[in-house]
Amino acid sequence: YDSVEPVMEVPDIGNDGDDANGGGTIYLFSILRDGLSYLAACPPCIGNQNNPSGGLGISPLLITEFLHKIADTFVIYFGDPADESAVKDNFSTAYQLLEEMVDYGWPLTTEPNALTDLIRPPTVMAKIHQAMTGGSSNILSEALPNGTVSNMPWRKAGVTHPNNEIYIDIVEEIDAILSSSGGVISSDVSGSIQAQSNLSGVPDLILTFNDATLIDDSSF
């Protein structure tokens, strides 16, 4: 293994000249999606008054969620599953996506609404044009994405629909354990609310329940 180049180099000392603040320590986070391992390497922070011992200095859930966000973006651009072959076939697009999603190690643009305006999703015609001309296809947009000028980055500015309507569907599931005599030993009801919005602009909507006290363990 001596001839194998290292994947990353880990410093032997910290930024202040000693290893008291985590010198030589790298925190690794990884997820597995569609046969691909997404890896994030995070250096330790320097000790201060609020965190004298150094340590990671950032929420591990933030890093894990960001890795899942990258995997979800690859699915939007390259299709499902976004496996190794899909990333290899669209390597330039994947590189540009990471350039926009990460800025100096911090998450920047993660909403697909803004990313699709910045970087054009790959199409069959673009691949044919690239194969015929032998050059790289122009995947970067010169226009400012609409998501950056909207109050909500996940929604484009000036969205209009001919019919202002919203469809809401409630999906419920019942799990129960019955005895041999047909009696209910235990039961549980779970559900989700699915909505498809065809509303213009950014209207305010209020969803209420007739008896909200019956609902527990809810998340939105």
Side-chain angles (χ1 to χ4, degrees):
Y1 298 99
D2 295 338
S3 60
V4 179
E5 294 293 333
V7 177
M8 69 180 70
E9 294 184 0
V10 179
D12 294 332
I13 59 176
N15 295 337
D16 57 352
D18 56 47
D19 58 355
N21 289 319
T25 301
I26 294 292
Y27 297 94
L28 298 178
F29 299 85
S30 66
I31 64 171
L32 182 63
R33 294 278 297 271
D34 296 327
L36 285 180
S37 294
Y38 296 82
L39 179 67
C42 301
C45 67
I46 303 301
N48 50 41
Q49 295 180 353
N50 297 327
N51 190 13
S53 61
L56 181 59
I58 192 174
S59 173
L61 293 179
L62 173 63
I63 304 174
T64 305
E65 177 63 23
F66 180 64
L67 292 177
H68 280 289
K69 197 70 175 181
I70 294 177
D72 294 338
T73 304
F74 283 175
V75 171
I76 294 174
Y77 271 76
F78 311 141
D80 192 9
D83 51 10
E84 180 181 359
S85 60
V87 175
K88 284 183 176 180
D89 294 340
N90 303 276
F91 177 78
S92 60
T93 304
Y95 181 85
Q96 293 293 340
L97 286 172
L98 293 178
E99 283 284 319
E100 296 294 339
M101 298 182 70
V102 184
D103 182 24
Y104 201 67
W106 290 92
L108 181 62
T109 305
T110 58
E111 290 296 335
N113 172 54
L115 288 172
T116 51
D117 287 342
L118 284 169
I119 302 174
R120 299 185 181 95
T123 60
V124 177
M125 292 302 298
K127 293 181 180 180
I128 294 176
H129 179 269
Q130 181 179 0
M132 294 179 61
T133 59
S136 61
S137 59
N138 186 16
I139 61 176
L140 294 179
S141 175
E142 298 179 355
L144 183 67
N146 293 329
T148 59
V149 297
S150 173
N151 294 329
M152 299 180 181
W154 49 265
R155 185 172 177 86
K156 294 182 178 180
V159 176
T160 57
H161 293 279
N163 297 325
N164 280 334
E165 55 189 7
I166 183 172
Y167 299 96
I168 297 179
D169 189 14
I170 300 178
V171 181
E172 294 179 306
E173 295 181 358
I174 300 178
D175 297 326
I177 299 178
L178 303 179
S179 63
S180 58
S181 59
V184 178
I185 298 177
S186 64
S187 62
D188 180 70
V189 179
S190 61
S192 62
I193 300 176
Q194 302 175 358
Q196 179 180 352
S197 175
N198 294 327
L199 300 175
S200 302
V202 189
D204 294 330
L205 300 179
I206 299 178
L207 179 63
T208 59
F209 297 94
N210 292 332
D211 191 358
T213 59
L214 298 177
I215 302 175
D216 57 359
D217 193 16
S218 60
S219 61
F220 297 92

